[in-house]
Amino acid sequence: AGGADGWPDTTIRPGDTDLIRAAKEEVAHARALAKEAELLAAAESDPDKKRKILAGVEAIRNDSHDLIAKAYELSDDPFNYGKKRAFGKAQRQLATDVASLVSLTTPSPSPAMQAALRNMQQAAGRSGGDGG
């Protein structure tokens, strides 16, 4: 389920597995980065670049929902190879979206954006996706 702003709920709840917690952390970091990009888009004078930035934000929002859903599915069936692969694919897609958005927003990302990207990458490393 998502919040009123269209982003998934990243509140850590009792009973969340380590995998779900890590996915929620990844999404929270990606969301922070996307919010930073939205501010840059608001100040962007080139309409094409602005459209691309906002499309990148939307891709992150959509793929954030997918990652959390896949984390819940895998947590319910942790030995299911297909679900492990789907979770890993969702992680990689979100990371790709984030990298794409970072490259769109500026050749030299702001310190806040760099920190959010680093945090998201660290969270991805802790979440247990199989990487393949």
Side-chain angles (χ1 to χ4, degrees):
D5 61 356
W7 287 92
D9 180 11
T10 55
T11 306
I12 305 296
R13 305 205 186 294
D16 280 352
T17 64
D18 289 344
L19 182 76
I20 292 169
R21 274 192 203 92
K24 286 181 175 182
E25 287 177 17
E26 282 180 67
V27 167
H29 296 305
R31 179 182 179 173
L33 204 146
K35 294 290 187 182
E36 179 86 8
E38 283 179 324
L39 295 175
L40 293 171
E44 180 58 55
S45 59
D46 178 349
D48 187 50
K49 186 171 182 181
K50 182 176 189 165
R51 180 189 56 73
K52 288 178 181 177
I53 291 170
L54 294 175
V57 168
E58 189 61 25
I60 289 173
R61 182 180 294 129
N62 291 337
D63 290 334
S64 291
H65 283 282
D66 189 45
L67 179 63
I68 289 179
K70 298 290 189 261
Y72 276 100
E73 290 170 13
L74 180 55
S75 287
D76 287 343
D77 191 4
F79 300 106
N80 183 308
Y81 182 71
K83 290 180 182 180
K84 283 183 182 181
R85 288 194 56 187
F87 176 77
K89 183 178 177 184
Q91 270 189 313
R92 287 187 301 279
Q93 183 59 54
L94 184 59
T96 298
D97 294 342
V98 167
S100 185
L101 186 60
V102 168
S103 72
L104 269 175
T105 52
T106 178
S108 177
S110 72
M113 197 171 276
Q114 289 175 348
L117 182 57
R118 248 190 332 275
N119 290 337
M120 197 190 97
Q121 289 168 335
Q122 289 168 354
R126 290 192 303 266
S127 65
D130 71 347

